[in-house]
Amino acid sequence: MQNLTAKSRRISIIAGVVLIIATLVTGFVVFTVMKNNAEALLSRGMLLSLQTRADQFRLEIQETDAAARHIADHPDVIGSLGALQSNPSDPRELATLRRIAHSLLTDGTSRIEFSLAHDAHPVVTAGEKLDNEISVPLPLRPRARLAWNNGFVLGTTVEVRKEARLFGLVTVYSRHPALDAFLTAKIGLGKTGEIAICSPLPDDHLYMKCFPTQISGHVFPHQARIINGAPLPMSHALNGKTGVVVARDYRQKRVVAAYAPIGNLGLGMVLKIDTSELFAPVWREARYILIVVLLIVAIGVALLRWLVTPLISQVLMSEKEAHDANALLRDTETRTRAVLENVDEGIITLSDSGHIESANSAVESMFGYDSKSLRGKSIGLLLRHHDRDLDSRLYLQRLLAADSVEEHFGQEVTGCRTDGSTFPVGLKISDMELDDRTVYIGALRDLTDLKAKEEKILHLANHDALTGLPNRNLLQDRVQQAIIHGHRHGIRVAVLFLDLDNFKTINDSLGHDVGDMLLEAVATRIQECVREKDTVARQGGDEFIVVVTELGDAQDSGVVATNVLQRISQPYSIGNRELHVNASVGIAVFPEDGKDVETLMKNSDIAMYHAKSAGRNNFQFYAPEMNRVATERLVIETNLRHAIEENQLHVAYQPILAADGNMTVAAETLLRWDHPTLGSVSPSSFVPVAEESGIIVSLGEWVMRQACMQYRRWKDDGIDLQRVVVNVSPRQFRQRNLAQSFVDILHACLTHDP
């Protein structure tokens, strides 16, 4: 009896231990599965949401960069900065720039600065002065910086050029409420969920600058990237990596963080939530599991002790345990579903046969289908394929194969709505093991707005903002394609370089608004004179380029030029005014006048200048002699700019006699140039060049100063002349301060020793 009792006690102890261990293991396994599933689904959702926000952040900045480039291409800005190169204090041009700056200020643009080339200080500013808390450079062209001043401020500096000549710089500071919303908007991740955006410090991989977040509320100008030997999640993003990690953040609290770089901007973005809040529901359920486990152990021990229907008791306890576990699993699935419903992207789950098992509300909004009606349907119902009879399993395998070679943001496919309309969709597919089978998770994103923004940016980058014509970038590509086509088929291509005559007079006298309307009208008339396969582009300012393709005879381009000149010269009705304008056209023909884009453009420009020299309102074909003349003119202009400094110039004086011929009453100044290598250069050669280039202004002042000093020497030597005659160029009369300049020279000469 004692043996039986001892055996019974031993059996009871062993059975009790087995029961306790089995119960604890079962509870731990159920808890672990729920926790891992919830963490995996949420991590994928957080990463997809983060990547979408990073794309939107990058596009907002690129749109502002494109707007800044168009301000720099504005003809009024180019003209005013070009004029200020020779006279930086010209009040009229400064006033023009101020007017332009104030007219460009909008709700998004806070400040505009115009600077001359190689001058760090702006000559004109408009808008509020910004005292930024932090500022980080962005690796963009043009130069850009992202700063924080009670919100994001993007500063973009663009070079103002014309014909490769640098005139100045335009700096635009713009506020971006849309970017601010990334840091302030609710993201559906509880009280501790937040988005952080940071930039690395230059030449220092241990620290970074960070913009304010909802929790911190202030900037971090010098934040360590590694704390207590562990890198922050943002450090991974700044190293160009994308993923999800459980780590400690800048507050030294454990978080689940999705991290990714923001395109090629050198910035990182992190979307995170405290683990204490993320797993709080799971830990709350763990208490119920513990109670259930203890209850199972107590009942098991009691049944073993009293030997009351042990088999039935074990079956009942097993059923209760399974019921409790299923209830916890359903509750976890409900919470996971709630998280997925708050994600911006469409999320679908697929079986390995390519059929839809579930879809969130974003899919319903995107495609118009009810999520229940999609269950069991092929993925081909949502994503169109050119082969309509393709098996759903094979279609899924093709999508997986294509997705495996794409980068972080997946592949682009065609979505089909319930009404039959199609739209571009970004698709990223990943797989996971669930219940001993493979389940595929697809993240869908509507790319309609993204594609529209990309097309807009591409159009703005290749077309003139005023006329809508192709700009210099697109023009060079069109000319190159025309040359390739002409070379392949043995046909000619003509490049017509067109410059409006005396357009500056209209622009300055009637205002830039009238000038802009006139340029638009001219662009329309030029387009009416050419074929659809030809190209009309705006080179900048009042210059246009016409590319005529498939010419049988080079002389045919002269017919086009004649039609363009006649059409342009007809009266224009702009506002209440009738305006008239003519043009000069230079023509270069492939292959006779050049076999590449640069040569054809240069030679057509040279021919245009000869058309202006020939009286304007005509066209000239390029000839090699023109290039020689242009080269000689460039040599003269280059050497003439150094002639005064190197004492190569001198003044000769021609006597002017009285009517009876017995007395010299005056002397006329004659400018002479002796160059060490060119020899004696004729005034008929260098004076026209000086007038066209503007050098005549400084030459005229130098001659006036030399004549005044000589006149004083003659007076001191007892030679009494009534006057000394100095010739003045018509170009000098355009200077507003001409008279005052001569008065200052005379005063300085006559009141000081020569």
Side-chain angles (χ1 to χ4, degrees), residues 218-521:
H218 60 273
V219 302
F220 294 88
H222 197 260
Q223 172 66 46
R225 293 170 59 172
I226 300 177
I227 299 179
N228 295 332
L232 298 180
M234 183 62 73
S235 182
H236 301 306
L238 295 179
N239 290 333
K241 298 179 181 179
T242 300
V244 181
V245 67
V246 178
R248 294 189 180 275
D249 66 355
Y250 63 94
R251 302 167 300 159
Q252 284 299 284
K253 290 189 176 182
R254 289 188 63 79
V255 296
V256 176
Y259 55 87
I262 303 179
N264 60 349
L265 299 181
L267 302 175
M269 181 178 288
V270 170
L271 174 63
K272 62 187 181 67
I273 181 175
D274 288 359
T275 55
S276 59
E277 183 175 14
L278 176 65
F279 298 119
V282 179
W283 288 112
R284 285 197 298 269
E285 299 299 334
R287 292 181 295 180
Y288 297 105
I289 294 177
L290 180 60
I291 294 174
V292 171
V293 169
L294 294 177
L295 183 60
I296 292 174
V297 171
I299 294 176
V301 171
L303 291 177
L304 288 173
R305 181 174 181 179
W306 293 311
L307 301 178
V308 178
T309 58
L311 183 60
I312 296 176
S313 298
Q314 290 177 6
V315 170
L316 292 177
M317 292 303 297
S318 297
E319 290 181 354
K320 187 177 188 321
E321 178 183 345
H323 178 270
D324 291 342
N326 289 333
L328 287 174
L329 183 59
R330 285 194 300 272
D331 186 54
T332 302
E333 291 177 349
T334 300
R335 295 178 182 276
T336 302
R337 183 73 180 181
V339 172
L340 294 178
E341 293 299 329
N342 285 284
V343 176
D344 296 335
E345 291 76 22
I347 304 295
I348 59 174
T349 58
L350 302 168
S351 65
D352 57 2
S353 64
H355 291 88
I356 301 171
E357 294 185 349
S358 66
N360 67 350
S361 59
V363 173
E364 297 178 347
S365 302
M366 195 180 302
F367 294 91
Y369 290 97
D370 181 78
S371 60
K372 294 181 179 179
S373 66
L374 290 174
R375 293 175 184 170
K377 301 294 179 62
S378 170
I379 183 63
L381 178 67
L382 301 180
L383 306 180
R384 174 169 295 180
H385 191 272
H386 64 275
D387 187 356
R388 295 180 178 271
D389 297 329
L390 190 65
D391 178 74
S392 59
R393 184 188 298 275
L394 182 58
Y395 186 22
L396 175 61
Q397 295 303 318
R398 290 189 179 182
L399 290 175
L400 290 169
D403 196 57
S404 65
V405 300
E406 294 290 342
E407 301 228 346
H408 303 297
F409 305 116
Q411 57 183 303
E412 181 178 334
V413 294
T414 302
C416 184
R417 299 187 179 92
T418 54
D419 59 3
S421 61
T422 60
F423 62 103
V425 174
L427 173 65
K428 184 69 178 178
I429 300 180
S430 57
D431 62 298
M432 65 175 295
E433 296 297 325
L434 184 64
D435 296 335
D436 296 330
R437 67 188 185 95
T438 301
V439 177
Y440 296 94
I441 300 176
L444 306 169
R445 181 160 40 118
D446 189 345
L447 302 180
T448 303
D449 293 339
L450 181 63
K451 301 289 285 185
K453 290 181 179 179
E454 290 177 349
E455 292 176 0
K456 181 180 179 181
I457 292 173
L458 182 62
H459 183 273
L460 292 175
N462 291 289
H463 290 80
D464 176 52
L466 177 63
T467 62
L469 296 176
N471 60 13
R472 282 173 290 184
N473 295 333
L474 184 55
L475 170 65
Q476 290 186 341
D477 180 69
R478 295 280 180 88
V479 176
Q480 181 64 37
Q481 295 303 320
I483 290 174
I484 294 173
H485 181 73
H487 179 75
R488 183 181 297 122
H489 298 281
I491 55 179
R492 290 178 172 83
V493 177
V495 176
L496 282 65
F497 198 115
L498 184 150
D499 185 89
L500 300 182
D501 298 331
N502 300 321
F503 172 77
K504 188 175 186 302
T505 303
I506 296 176
N507 206 36
D508 292 343
S509 59
L510 300 181
H512 297 294
D513 292 339
V514 174
D516 288 347
M517 289 188 284
L518 178 59
L519 288 174
E520 292 181 90

